[in-house]
Structure formats: C-alpha cells, structure tokens
Amino acid sequence: MEYSAFVVKEESDQSFTGQPTTLKCQDLPDGDVTIRVRYSSLNYKDALSFSGNKGVTRNYPHTPGIDAAGEVLSSADGSFVVGEKVLVVGYDLGMNTPGGFGEVIRVPKPWVMKLPPGLTLQSSMAWGTAGFTAALCVNKLIINGLSNEQGPILVSGASGGVGSVAVMLLNKLGFEVHALTTKPDQVEFFTALGAKKVLALNDFLAQAKRPLLKPLYSGAIDVAGGEVLATMLKCIQPSGSVACCGLVDSVSLNTTVLPFILRGVNLLGVDSVELPIDVKRAMWTRMATDWSLPELEGRCQVISPDELGKSLQAILDGNAKGRFVLKQL
C-alpha cells in the first residue's frame, strides 16, 4: 500500500526542501497501531524540523508533523478498533518518527488516545499541540493560585499558535488578557481573540535594563524565553506566576533573583510532549468540555499538503497568525 507524505530532505548544498512524495506503508517504522491521518496541525517544532534543525530531527529524509488525527487501520493487540477515531499528539511523532504530514503513520500503542467526545478530527487539530500547550499553561497558572480578580495576564507571542489560543482560553475563563506581540498594528485581530490591550514587543523590552518593573500582571504565559521571559518576570505581582513553554526568542535566560526573593514570583515550566497518556487524556477531555472553544475551528486556516512549505516558512519568519490545520486529501 502506498501513501503520500510531505517529505523534507537535505540537498547537496546543505539546504532543506520539502515536497509531497509517494511512500510505501511497508517502510513505516515498527509500531502497534497504524492510522490513516485525516488532519494534522502546524506547530513551531514542525517548522524547525522543516528547516533542518538537528536538535528536533536527527536524520533526513523525514516527514514532520507532531500531531495527527484520523482512523485506525490496524491495531496489533485489539486495543483499538479498526475505523476508531484517534489522536496522537507529542512523544516522538514528527520528530524522529514519521509524522502527521503523511497520510499514514504507525506508532506505539501508549502514544494513541481515543478522540474525546465533543471533538471532531478537524476541531481536535484546531487545538493541536499548540492549543494543548496553551491549556496546560492556563491550568498550571490556576493550580498555582491565579484567579481573575488579581489583575491582567500577559501573553507573549500572542499571534502564534500557543499565544492566540491562550488569549482565547483566558478570555473565556474571565481573565483580562494583554497581548504582547511584534504585530501591534493588528489590533482588530487581537481584540477578536479576546485581548483587552495590545503591547508592542519593542516597547516592552525597552525597559528591560531595569532590575525590577512595576508589578502590573498577576501572571503570564511565555513562548519566547530569552529577554522576553526575563522582562516578564520583572513585572509580575507578588506571588504571581509565569508559565514558560517556548524558546522562540532564545533558550537562554539571563535574569536576577530579585523577582523571586523580593516578590515571590513563580516560574513554571510546561512540557506538552512526554506527559503520561492519562494526563494528556484528562486535559483533552477538559478542552472538549468546560474549556471548549467553539470559535477556534473557524479561526484556523485550513491548508492542503501543497501549501505546507509556504505555511511552515511563514511560521519560521514570524509572519503567521493563529493556527494552521492540514487537511489530508
């Protein structure tokens, strides 16, 4: 059996290119569950894999796609029924295991979960890893005492996948959200997401040299790391928290202990990849029920495999807005 996949390969000049390619199912890796992928989604990690980042994907040619939603084609031990709708999100999918940008994947059973009631295959990928990560960040802030009476929440990278969903979810839950962005002129976009205020990143970072800033925010979600995260920590209220989940700016963090020892600020790390499947299942159930965002699917740009290259490049260049959902033909 043959299937089509978006395959990224390294060229002789050490550049990387991707294009739809016909592959054979017999060449898929060993695994317990084979899935016909109907939808995937685009995430920053997919863009890094597309660019040839060896910290994400070691060997090429490779099929990216850290998310996949589709139907079971076969299950080694009967844990899943043929035709059953399932999700695979995170673990090694799309990193060093052929991912959801292919029409067929084969993965270990512990990676697979049944599609939660209340979600369709397409709406689950409107969330995808980016939305799942946003939900994990919000949940961790709430667990650590965040409430909507304490003051506004700051979200960096608010036009991207994680940031845009975080703004929408926080707004749904009654928080006042401020969007931190390199696109401050697109106020209408952020207002539609639910942001009450839009901050230009350059203006925000202009105050970064000061050791502490006015404590304006009860909490924050950061996708950038580096100077962005360091500056965020300086403007959090006493006992407030920052959920950190990304490295779009830098993997480094140059800061002082002052926010921690003078204000008791909490820096919360959020991982969405290697969580136990039961933890993932519980959060996805919540996303499908009391945290549902019915408007999210309509805000996504649905693309075909032929549009993957330019869409991934837009993410790399910082020109993307919101979520991209890949529909397999």
Side-chain angles (χ1 to χ4, degrees):
M1 177 181 170
E2 294 182 335
Y3 69 99
S4 179
F6 182 81
V7 177
V8 178
K9 64 179 182 178
E10 186 171 4
E11 303 292 351
S12 58
D13 62 358
Q14 297 186 320
S15 65
F16 290 81
T17 60
Q19 61 183 1
T21 304
T22 299
L23 301 176
K24 295 181 179 180
C25 289
Q26 66 193 49
D27 295 328
L28 286 166
D30 292 338
D32 308 307
V33 187
T34 304
I35 299 166
R36 173 59 165 98
V37 179
R38 300 297 180 181
Y39 293 92
S40 183
S41 74
L42 278 61
N43 299 279
Y44 186 64
K45 192 175 287 184
D46 298 318
L48 292 177
S49 180
F50 168 68
S51 73
N53 188 305
K54 295 298 178 72
V56 175
T57 300
R58 293 188 296 271
N59 299 307
Y60 293 83
H62 174 66
T63 302
I66 63 173
D67 296 335
E71 298 102 8
V72 173
L73 290 176
S74 66
S75 178
D77 63 0
S79 298
F80 297 93
V81 178
V82 172
E84 189 169 24
K85 294 178 179 177
V86 293
L87 298 176
V88 183
V89 179
Y91 302 113
D92 191 53
L93 184 71
M95 295 177 63
N96 297 291
T97 300
F101 294 173
E103 291 178 336
V104 181
I105 59 173
R106 185 176 294 135
V107 296
K109 179 177 65 175
W111 294 7
V112 186
M113 61 181 172
K114 298 177 182 180
L115 183 71
L119 289 176
T120 65
L121 294 176
Q122 183 170 339
S123 67
S124 71
M125 290 296 93
W127 284 93
T129 288
F132 175 56
T133 304
L136 289 173
C137 287
V138 172
N139 187 59
K140 203 155 196 179
L141 288 172
I142 291 172
I143 288 173
N144 281 271
L146 185 72
S147 66
N148 52 25
E149 300 87 14
Q150 297 169 337
I153 312 298
L154 185 62
V155 177
S156 69
S159 67
V162 175
S164 62
V165 178
V167 171
M168 295 174 69
L169 181 55
L170 286 164
N171 178 66
K172 174 189 175 71
L173 298 178
F175 291 92
E176 179 182 334
V177 191
H178 293 187
L180 183 61
T181 178
T182 58
K183 307 177 180 71
D185 55 321
Q186 299 181 17
V187 175
E188 185 176 343
F189 171 79
F190 295 109
T191 301
L193 294 178
K196 297 298 186 294
K197 187 174 181 180
V198 179
L199 287 74
L201 181 61
N202 288 340
D203 294 342
F204 181 73
L205 295 180
Q207 52 190 338
K209 292 183 179 180
R210 297 170 58 188
L212 280 176
L213 301 170
K214 187 175 181 180
L216 298 175
Y217 301 101
S218 60
I221 294 175
D222 177 59
V223 304
E227 190 177 11
V228 179
L229 176 56
T231 307
M232 272 186 164
L233 289 167
K234 299 175 184 180
C235 57
I236 301 299
Q237 296 171 8
S239 299
S241 301
V242 178
C244 167
C245 65
L247 44 66
V248 174
D249 178 45
S250 174
V251 298
S252 299
L253 178 58
N254 183 15
T255 187
T256 73
V257 298
L258 295 182
F260 308 110
I261 65 173
L262 296 183
R263 293 180 178 167
V265 170
N266 305 299
L267 179 56
L268 311 173
V270 175
D271 166 45
S272 62
V273 178
E274 295 294 342
L275 293 174
I277 193 67
D278 58 332
V279 177
K280 288 191 176 186
R281 190 181 295 114
M283 181 53 67
W284 276 92
T285 299
R286 192 171 211 181
M287 291 153 56
T289 53
D290 54 328
W291 282 12
S292 67
L293 294 173
E295 69 275 24
L296 176 58
E297 187 173 351
R299 293 193 179 280
C300 294
Q301 182 176 341
V302 180
I303 65 169
S304 69
D306 289 338
E307 299 173 285
L308 267 171
K310 68 177 183 180
S311 301
L312 290 166
Q313 191 61 51
I315 293 174
L316 285 171
D317 294 341
N319 295 326
K321 290 195 305 181
R323 299 281 292 127
F324 291 88
V325 172
L326 170 67
K327 181 178 181 179
Q328 296 284 8
L329 302 178

